PDB file of all heavy atoms in Angstrom:
ATOM      1  N   SER M   4       1.477  24.034  45.148  1.00 97.00           N
ATOM      2  CA  SER M   4       0.200  23.409  45.057  1.00 97.00           C
ATOM      3  C   SER M   4      -0.855  24.408  44.392  1.00 97.00           C
ATOM      4  O   SER M   4      -0.664  25.593  44.330  1.00 97.00           O
ATOM      5  CB  SER M   4      -0.353  23.109  46.466  1.00 97.00           C
ATOM      6  OG  SER M   4      -0.661  24.440  47.185  1.00 97.00           O
ATOM      7  N   LEU M   5      -1.926  23.776  43.821  1.00 97.00           N
ATOM      8  CA  LEU M   5      -2.945  24.388  43.201  1.00 97.00           C
ATOM      9  C   LEU M   5      -4.314  23.946  43.691  1.00 97.00           C
ATOM     10  O   LEU M   5      -4.409  22.791  43.995  1.00 97.00           O
ATOM     11  CB  LEU M   5      -2.968  24.073  41.657  1.00 97.00           C
ATOM     12  CG  LEU M   5      -1.870  24.487  40.803  1.00 97.00           C
ATOM     13  CD1 LEU M   5      -2.005  23.891  39.343  1.00 97.00           C
ATOM     14  CD2 LEU M   5      -1.857  26.067  40.640  1.00 97.00           C
ATOM     15  N   THR M   6      -5.117  24.875  43.988  1.00 97.00           N
ATOM     16  CA  THR M   6      -6.474  24.563  44.447  1.00 97.00           C
ATOM     17  C   THR M   6      -7.494  25.352  43.528  1.00 97.00           C
ATOM     18  O   THR M   6      -7.245  26.466  43.294  1.00 97.00           O
ATOM     19  CB  THR M   6      -6.654  25.006  45.866  1.00 97.00           C
ATOM     20  OG1 THR M   6      -5.669  24.429  46.681  1.00 97.00           O
ATOM     21  CG2 THR M   6      -8.042  24.584  46.422  1.00 97.00           C
ATOM     22  N   THR M   7      -8.531  24.706  43.143  1.00 97.00           N
ATOM     23  CA  THR M   7      -9.465  25.357  42.251  1.00 97.00           C
ATOM     24  C   THR M   7     -10.800  25.311  43.015  1.00 97.00           C
ATOM     25  O   THR M   7     -11.178  24.268  43.493  1.00 97.00           O
ATOM     26  CB  THR M   7      -9.610  24.690  40.903  1.00 97.00           C
ATOM     27  OG1 THR M   7      -8.365  24.598  40.275  1.00 97.00           O
ATOM     28  CG2 THR M   7     -10.576  25.426  40.026  1.00 97.00           C
ATOM     29  N   ARG M   8     -11.421  26.521  43.107  1.00 97.00           N
ATOM     30  CA  ARG M   8     -12.797  26.568  43.752  1.00 97.00           C
ATOM     31  C   ARG M   8     -13.602  27.441  42.882  1.00 97.00           C
ATOM     32  O   ARG M   8     -13.137  28.291  42.103  1.00 97.00           O
ATOM     33  CB  ARG M   8     -12.736  27.156  45.163  1.00 97.00           C
ATOM     34  CG  ARG M   8     -12.229  28.558  45.245  1.00 97.00           C
ATOM     35  CD  ARG M   8     -12.208  29.030  46.634  1.00 97.00           C
ATOM     36  NE  ARG M   8     -11.639  30.303  46.879  1.00 97.00           N
ATOM     37  CZ  ARG M   8     -12.249  31.466  46.606  1.00 97.00           C
ATOM     38  NH1 ARG M   8     -13.484  31.450  46.153  1.00 97.00           N
ATOM     39  NH2 ARG M   8     -11.649  32.610  46.749  1.00 97.00           N
ATOM     40  N   GLN M   9     -14.984  27.224  42.987  1.00 96.00           N
ATOM     41  CA  GLN M   9     -15.855  28.170  42.276  1.00 96.00           C
ATOM     42  C   GLN M   9     -16.136  29.382  43.008  1.00 96.00           C
ATOM     43  O   GLN M   9     -16.591  29.317  44.076  1.00 96.00           O
ATOM     44  CB  GLN M   9     -17.127  27.360  41.975  1.00 96.00           C
ATOM     45  CG  GLN M   9     -18.101  28.110  41.059  1.00 96.00           C
ATOM     46  CD  GLN M   9     -17.502  28.362  39.656  1.00 96.00           C
ATOM     47  OE1 GLN M   9     -16.769  27.506  39.109  1.00 96.00           O
ATOM     48  NE2 GLN M   9     -17.847  29.478  39.058  1.00 96.00           N
ATOM     49  N   GLY M  10     -15.882  30.580  42.373  1.00 95.00           N
ATOM     50  CA  GLY M  10     -16.176  31.812  42.964  1.00 95.00           C
ATOM     51  C   GLY M  10     -17.520  32.374  42.276  1.00 95.00           C
ATOM     52  O   GLY M  10     -18.105  31.716  41.524  1.00 95.00           O
ATOM     53  N   PRO M  11     -17.957  33.479  42.754  1.00 94.00           N
ATOM     54  CA  PRO M  11     -19.271  34.035  42.222  1.00 94.00           C
ATOM     55  C   PRO M  11     -19.236  34.328  40.723  1.00 94.00           C
ATOM     56  O   PRO M  11     -20.253  34.346  40.084  1.00 94.00           O
ATOM     57  CB  PRO M  11     -19.477  35.295  43.013  1.00 94.00           C
ATOM     58  CG  PRO M  11     -18.165  35.551  43.774  1.00 94.00           C
ATOM     59  CD  PRO M  11     -17.381  34.270  43.801  1.00 94.00           C
ATOM     60  N   VAL M  12     -18.090  34.620  40.131  1.00 94.00           N
ATOM     61  CA  VAL M  12     -17.961  34.913  38.684  1.00 94.00           C
ATOM     62  C   VAL M  12     -17.362  33.824  37.854  1.00 94.00           C
ATOM     63  O   VAL M  12     -17.351  33.912  36.642  1.00 94.00           O
ATOM     64  CB  VAL M  12     -17.342  36.241  38.423  1.00 94.00           C
ATOM     65  CG1 VAL M  12     -18.113  37.419  39.134  1.00 94.00           C
ATOM     66  CG2 VAL M  12     -15.924  36.321  38.814  1.00 94.00           C
ATOM     67  N   GLY M  13     -16.743  32.823  38.502  1.00 94.00           N
ATOM     68  CA  GLY M  13     -16.022  31.801  37.750  1.00 94.00           C
ATOM     69  C   GLY M  13     -14.993  31.120  38.631  1.00 94.00           C
ATOM     70  O   GLY M  13     -14.921  31.448  39.859  1.00 94.00           O
ATOM     71  N   PRO M  14     -14.232  30.305  38.088  1.00 97.00           N
ATOM     72  CA  PRO M  14     -13.208  29.597  38.876  1.00 97.00           C
ATOM     73  C   PRO M  14     -12.224  30.514  39.519  1.00 97.00           C
ATOM     74  O   PRO M  14     -11.764  31.516  38.857  1.00 97.00           O
ATOM     75  CB  PRO M  14     -12.488  28.647  37.825  1.00 97.00           C
ATOM     76  CG  PRO M  14     -13.407  28.713  36.681  1.00 97.00           C
ATOM     77  CD  PRO M  14     -14.105  29.873  36.718  1.00 97.00           C
ATOM     78  N   VAL M  15     -11.744  30.234  40.738  1.00 98.00           N
ATOM     79  CA  VAL M  15     -10.628  30.887  41.324  1.00 98.00           C
ATOM     80  C   VAL M  15      -9.523  29.799  41.512  1.00 98.00           C
ATOM     81  O   VAL M  15      -9.762  28.825  42.184  1.00 98.00           O
ATOM     82  CB  VAL M  15     -10.989  31.473  42.784  1.00 98.00           C
ATOM     83  CG1 VAL M  15      -9.789  32.084  43.453  1.00 98.00           C
ATOM     84  CG2 VAL M  15     -12.128  32.523  42.594  1.00 98.00           C
ATOM     85  N   ILE M  16      -8.358  30.094  40.991  1.00 98.00           N
ATOM     86  CA  ILE M  16      -7.278  29.077  41.072  1.00 98.00           C
ATOM     87  C   ILE M  16      -6.248  29.680  42.098  1.00 98.00           C
ATOM     88  O   ILE M  16      -5.700  30.779  41.824  1.00 98.00           O
ATOM     89  CB  ILE M  16      -6.621  28.832  39.747  1.00 98.00           C
ATOM     90  CG1 ILE M  16      -7.697  28.255  38.751  1.00 98.00           C
ATOM     91  CG2 ILE M  16      -5.387  27.923  39.854  1.00 98.00           C
ATOM     92  CD1 ILE M  16      -7.209  28.048  37.297  1.00 98.00           C
TER      93      ILE M  16
END
Side-chain angles (χ1 to χ4, degrees):
S4 68
L5 291 172
T6 306
T7 306
R8 65 177 173 81
Q9 187 61 36
V12 298
V15 176
I16 300 174

